Amino acid sequence: MSFKSIIQDMKGEFGSISRKGFDVKFGYGMRSRSHRVVQDSSVPVDVFKQSCWANMPPELLRDVLMRIEASESTWPPRKNVVVCAGVCRNWREIMKEIVKTPEISCKLTFPISLKQPGPRDSLLQCYIKRNRSNQTYYLYLGLNQASNDDGKFLLAARKCRRPTCTDYIISLNCNDVSKGSSTYIGKLRSNFLGTKFTVYDAQPPNAGAKVTKSCSTRLINMKQVSPRVPAGNYPVAHISYELNVLGSRGPRRMHCVMDAIPASSIEPGGVAPTQTEFLHSNLDTFPSLLFFRSKSTHAESFQSGPLSDQKDGMLVLRNKSPRWHEQLQCWCLNFNGRVTVASVKNFQLVASPENAAAGQEHENVILQFGKVGKDVFTMDYQYPISAFQAFAICLSSFDTKIACE
């Protein structure tokens, strides 16, 4: 039997197993395809128990899985890669080695990919849909105007107004966007005026994350109460909008301090922290993350690193200054066709000159966000920020900022 026929046969079996989970059309309030297939990962184990694939030689198995991973480059066909990782522990370990991080592969495959830095040399294209009726925002991968399909669901966020602030709860599940959910991964919180925001991660983003005593205490107390309560909130970014009380002409001015990313990451050969696992406390109630466990202990996740002591070493982003177009009588930025509707929310973020190693040569756009239709916005990001961080920064742009415009 040839490799091609083997792969086609395997895909056929995977398709019959996961078709039910992936035939659900995306939409507001609908279930994510990726979660359906991974949460049902117990099904393939029974099916393959007496299958010819169970006793396949390791060398042949690795070759077949590598070909599947290479051939399924886009969603929804890439669901076969996720299904392979859910068959058994042996397959899972092989797929973890084969599937590269977004930095290298430019692909989002597993949920942990949303917490890892994007591609180095290109923008990963996503888009956000806003549902005004329930104040919910949905992040999808890619945007094909000719297709009626919503695309690959990634993240969801729900706006929660409070007396002194506004919270945006971010979740991996579009049906359960709440802080008490096992799929809760972080939040965005604003001040009363909506001019300053803090991005919180539900887990320490890397070994160098700064963990305060209050956070550690909260983590212990939460785990004693209920396993469904998220581990805690760790600040990973701070966003501020410059006040414009005099009403001078110009767009919003943004300033982002990335607490968990060193300024050196934007330099050639620079490295940004890459999260490789979710905390075990969340894994117990979220089966789709089981294949992200590692041998590291829980205590090792809280080790202090250089970023804890060197605030000056953090990456700082600022919005790229637009130019005034005399003929159009408006402020303009080059979004390379990704933004089609003028809006005060549109922005591009680049490395700020205040970074020790940054200067005029750092005009490479790290994140761009803009309107393309009614309640539809594009979000393109790249290294060193992750999809989660990019999504949280974009959510801050949706808040009304009377004092900044």
Side-chain angles (χ1 to χ4, degrees):
M1 183 182 291
S2 64
F3 275 116
K4 184 176 181 180
S5 60
I6 291 176
I7 293 174
Q8 290 177 345
D9 191 11
M10 292 179 69
K11 288 181 181 178
E13 292 201 37
F14 292 151
S16 63
I17 293 169
S18 60
R19 188 172 296 113
K20 181 179 179 181
F22 279 92
D23 281 345
V24 181
K25 178 178 174 61
F26 276 103
Y28 301 125
M30 301 301 290
R31 187 176 298 179
S32 165
R33 300 176 184 176
S34 60
H35 298 323
R36 283 293 300 273
V37 67
V38 185
Q39 288 176 352
D40 294 341
S41 59
S42 59
V43 178
V45 175
D46 296 332
V47 175
F48 279 85
K49 199 169 185 179
Q50 303 299 327
S51 172
C52 61
W53 312 115
N55 299 317
M56 182 181 294
E59 296 78 8
L60 179 60
L61 174 60
R62 180 178 295 274
D63 199 342
V64 171
L65 294 182
M66 288 180 64
R67 296 192 182 205
I68 291 177
E69 198 279 335
S71 63
E72 309 294 13
S73 58
T74 59
W75 291 88
R78 195 157 178 79
K79 67 181 183 289
N80 294 322
V81 177
V82 180
V83 174
C84 287
V87 171
C88 64
R89 184 182 300 273
N90 185 31
W91 288 43
R92 182 158 59 244
E93 292 302 320
I94 295 176
M95 292 309 299
K96 285 171 61 177
E97 296 176 8
I98 294 175
V99 176
K100 304 302 181 183
T101 62
E103 174 189 353
I104 300 172
S105 65
C106 303
K107 301 172 186 175
L108 297 176
T109 305
F110 301 126
I112 195 63
S113 302
L114 302 174
K115 289 290 190 74
Q116 297 173 338
R120 278 189 180 268
D121 301 320
S122 62
L123 290 168
L124 208 160
Q125 297 183 346
C126 307
Y127 71 102
I128 299 171
K129 276 192 173 183
R130 174 176 59 183
N131 189 336
R132 293 177 181 268
S133 62
N134 58 6
Q135 293 292 293
T136 308
Y137 305 82
Y138 303 90
L139 178 66
Y140 297 92
L141 179 63
L143 174 59
N144 185 359
Q145 297 283 11
S147 174
N148 293 325
D149 189 9
D150 283 334
K152 176 69 180 73
F153 169 80
L154 300 177
L155 292 170
R158 182 169 56 87
K159 185 176 182 179
C160 303
R161 291 188 179 277
R162 308 191 187 283
T164 59
C165 63
T166 300
D167 282 350
Y168 290 83
I169 307 300
I170 304 175
S171 172
L172 291 165
N173 190 340
C174 60
N175 289 324
D176 189 2
V177 188
S178 63
K179 193 174 179 180
S181 169
S182 60
T183 56
Y184 164 80
I185 62 170
K187 69 178 180 180
L188 173 74
R189 169 165 289 184
S190 75
N191 63 355
F192 180 75
L193 295 176
T195 58
K196 296 184 182 298
F197 297 80
T198 302
V199 181
Y200 294 95
D201 197 325
Q203 310 167 60
N206 56 75
K210 184 176 182 180
V211 181
T212 62
K213 182 177 180 181
S214 60
C215 287
S216 303
T217 304
R218 189 186 310 120
L219 173 61
I220 297 174
N221 293 337
M222 285 181 172
K223 292 180 69 175
Q224 292 175 346
V225 175
S226 170
R228 285 185 57 82
V229 179
N233 291 310
Y234 306 92
V236 294
H238 296 273
I239 309 162
S240 61
Y241 289 81
E242 187 176 323
L243 294 177
N244 188 18
V245 293
L246 299 179
S248 59
R249 187 176 65 173
R252 293 174 176 175
R253 293 182 175 89
M254 295 177 62
H255 187 266
C256 303
V257 179
M258 310 303 296
D259 293 8
I261 304 177
S264 60
S265 62
I266 60 175
E267 295 300 317
V271 178
T274 301
Q275 189 171 341
T276 58
E277 62 175 348
F278 285 92
L279 282 182
H280 294 187
S281 58
N282 277 21
L283 294 175
D284 295 336
T285 53
F286 192 21
S288 66
L289 302 181
L290 286 175
F291 48 86
F292 297 114
R293 289 183 184 271
S294 75
K295 297 181 180 178
S296 61
T297 62
H298 179 74
E300 289 174 349
S301 299
F302 297 91
Q303 292 177 353
S304 61
L307 290 181
S308 301
D309 304 321
Q310 298 179 5
K311 186 172 182 179
D312 293 339
M314 299 174 183
L315 176 65
V316 179
L317 304 177
R318 61 171 176 81
N319 64 307
K320 191 173 183 178
S321 300
R323 62 180 180 85
W324 178 255
H325 198 292
E326 291 294 343
Q327 295 180 341
L328 299 178
Q329 289 294 296
C330 66
W331 296 96
C332 297
L333 280 172
N334 182 15
F335 288 91
N336 295 310
R338 289 286 291 166
V339 177
T340 57
V341 180
S343 172
V344 69
K345 297 178 176 62
N346 302 348
F347 66 81
Q348 289 181 326
L349 292 184
V350 297
S352 174
E354 63 188 81
N355 287 141
Q360 293 299 323
E361 68 275 12
H362 289 287
E363 286 296 309
N364 192 31
V365 175
I366 295 176
L367 170 64
Q368 67 178 20
F369 170 81
K371 191 172 184 178
V372 293
K374 184 178 180 180
D375 296 323
V376 181
F377 304 81
T378 55
M379 186 198 87
D380 304 336
Y381 75 99
Q382 67 173 328
Y383 197 89
I385 67 173
S386 65
F388 164 72
Q389 294 166 339
F391 185 43
I393 294 174
C394 291
L395 289 173
S396 72
S397 185
F398 285 104
D399 252 22
T400 301
K401 303 168 180 59
I402 300 176
C404 301
E405 300 165 5

